Amino acid sequence: REQTDPVLQLENINVSFDGFKALTDLSLQIGVGELRCIIGPNGAGKTTLMDVITGKTRPDNGRVLYDQSIDLTTLSPVEIARIGIGRKFQKPTVFEALTVFENLEIALKTDKSVWACLRARLNGEQQDRIDEVLKLLRLGSERQRPAGLLSHGQKQFLEIGMLLVQDPHLLLLDEPAAGMTDAETDYTAELFRTLAGQHSLMVVEHDMGFVETIADHVTVLHQGQVLAEGSLREVQANEQVIEVYLGR
Ligand code: ADP
C-alpha cells in the first residue's frame, strides 16, 4: 500500500467517564485520501473516538493532530468543522419541511441563520457546487421536493451532500449504509470510492459486506484500544479478532 502523509494522527488518547475508560492510550493514523473503516463490537469506543476528533469529547490526555500541524484538542467543535472535518451521524437529520435544494443551501451558508440564509442569493460558484453535489448524490430530480418526502436512503444521501457542499477534507461517517436498500448501499460504496483520494474518509460500520466493498484498510477497536489493523482479510484472520467477535 502506498504511504501518504497523515491527515489525522491520534496520539496516546485516553478518555474516561467517571473512572470508566472508554479509550485507553489509543493511537491511530489516517492518511490523506484514505478510506478507513473502523469496526468493533458495541462499547468498543467507536463513537467516543469520533467525539474526540470532532471536539465533542475532550480526551484526558494525548493529541489529535490534523494535517500534521493543528492539535484538534485545543479547538471547539465549530472551529473543527470550519477547518474541514465533517461528521455524519447514523440517523439522518435534514430539515424535513424544506426542499432538497434549500437543505443544501443552508449547509453551504453555515455562517447565517436558516432564514437569513434562504433570503440571501447564491453566487454562481455556490449554485454550481450545489448542482454538482445533487448530481453526485443522484438527487437532481428531487431538488424541489421537501426533504421529508425522501426515502430513508435518499435522506442519508442528502445529508452526505450537506457535508460535501462544505468541501471537507476529512469525512467521518457513522454507519452510513444502515437502513439502506441493497441498491442504495451499492451506490454508497461507489460514492465513497469516488470521494476517497480527493477526501479522507473514516467510516464506522457494522455491515461486513459493506466494509469489504469499500475499505482498503480496517481498524478493529475493542475495549477502547486498537486490537488489529490491516486489510479486512488480514483482520478477519486475526486470532484475537475472531475471539472478540465469535468467542465468549
Ligand atoms: P461504540 O460506539 O463502539 O459502541 P462508545 O464509544 O459509544 O462505543 O462507548 C464506549 C464505552 O464508553 C461504552 O462502554 C459506553 O457505555 C461508555 N460511554 C460512552 N459515553 C459515555 C458517557 N457519556 N458516560 C459514561 N459512559 C460512556
Side-chain angles (χ1 to χ4, degrees):
R1 202 170 63 92
E2 204 178 306
Q3 290 292 329
T4 60
D5 290 334
V7 65
L8 194 70
Q9 295 159 284
L10 288 99
E11 297 172 351
N12 307 104
I13 296 293
N14 284 279
V15 172
S16 48
F17 299 109
D18 299 323
F20 175 83
K21 300 214 77 175
L23 296 179
T24 305
D25 215 25
L26 182 108
S27 295
L28 186 69
Q29 191 163 313
I30 313 274
V32 172
E34 191 182 332
L35 172 42
R36 174 76 61 95
C37 272
I38 310 288
I39 65 172
N42 275 334
K46 304 182 293 297
T47 306
T48 307
L49 170 65
M50 302 278 237
D51 289 347
V52 166
I53 297 167
T54 54
K56 194 173 165 197
T57 297
R58 293 255 169 251
D60 304 336
N61 53 10
R63 294 199 304 175
V64 181
L65 273 188
Y66 176 67
D67 209 11
Q68 301 183 75
S69 54
I70 305 164
D71 185 356
L72 299 181
T73 62
T74 65
L75 303 182
S76 72
V78 171
E79 289 169 326
I80 292 171
R82 287 228 172 99
I83 64 170
I85 299 181
R87 180 179 191 180
K88 188 196 163 314
F89 292 90
Q90 192 181 338
K91 266 184 71 180
T93 48
V94 298
F95 297 96
E96 305 244 328
L98 300 180
T99 68
V100 167
F101 190 88
E102 287 167 339
N103 270 275
L104 294 169
E105 222 181 324
I106 286 167
L108 193 62
K109 297 185 262 175
T110 45
D111 52 327
K112 297 191 174 70
S113 76
V114 171
W115 304 115
C117 165
L118 290 178
R119 277 198 304 270
R121 291 280 301 271
L122 288 171
N123 64 36
E125 197 182 313
Q126 291 171 321
Q127 188 89 39
D128 289 349
R129 181 69 190 142
I130 291 183
D131 287 338
E132 194 183 325
V133 167
L134 280 170
K135 196 168 161 212
L136 186 66
L137 279 300
R138 296 182 169 172
L139 290 170
S141 58
E142 313 290 335
R143 57 192 287 148
Q144 298 306 340
R145 280 187 94 197
L149 299 180
L150 298 179
S151 73
H152 173 79
Q154 286 176 319
K155 284 182 193 169
Q156 300 278 43
F157 287 136
L158 175 56
E159 209 186 354
I160 293 172
M162 290 168 78
L163 291 179
L164 290 179
V165 291
Q166 299 174 42
D167 214 12
H169 299 292
L170 174 65
L171 284 160
L172 308 176
L173 301 127
D174 191 1
E175 290 192 62
M180 282 191 174
T181 64
D182 287 348
E184 287 167 343
T185 302
D186 289 347
Y187 188 63
T188 304
E190 192 184 322
L191 176 69
F192 286 3
R193 285 193 303 260
T194 307
L195 293 176
Q198 289 280 353
H199 308 261
S200 312
L201 289 88
M202 202 173 128
V203 180
V204 168
E205 189 53 63
H206 286 291
D207 178 345
M208 288 304 150
F210 185 66
V211 171
E212 193 170 6
T213 56
I214 62 167
D216 38 297
H217 208 65
V218 176
T219 298
V220 186
L221 289 193
H222 178 54
Q223 295 179 344
Q225 294 182 300
V226 175
L227 183 69
E229 222 168 58
S231 68
L232 182 63
R233 218 167 279 277
E234 280 163 1
V235 301
Q236 279 180 330
N238 180 301
E239 289 295 334
Q240 284 176 295
V241 174
I242 293 169
E243 198 176 309
V244 163
Y245 273 96
L246 303 175
R248 272 171 236 163

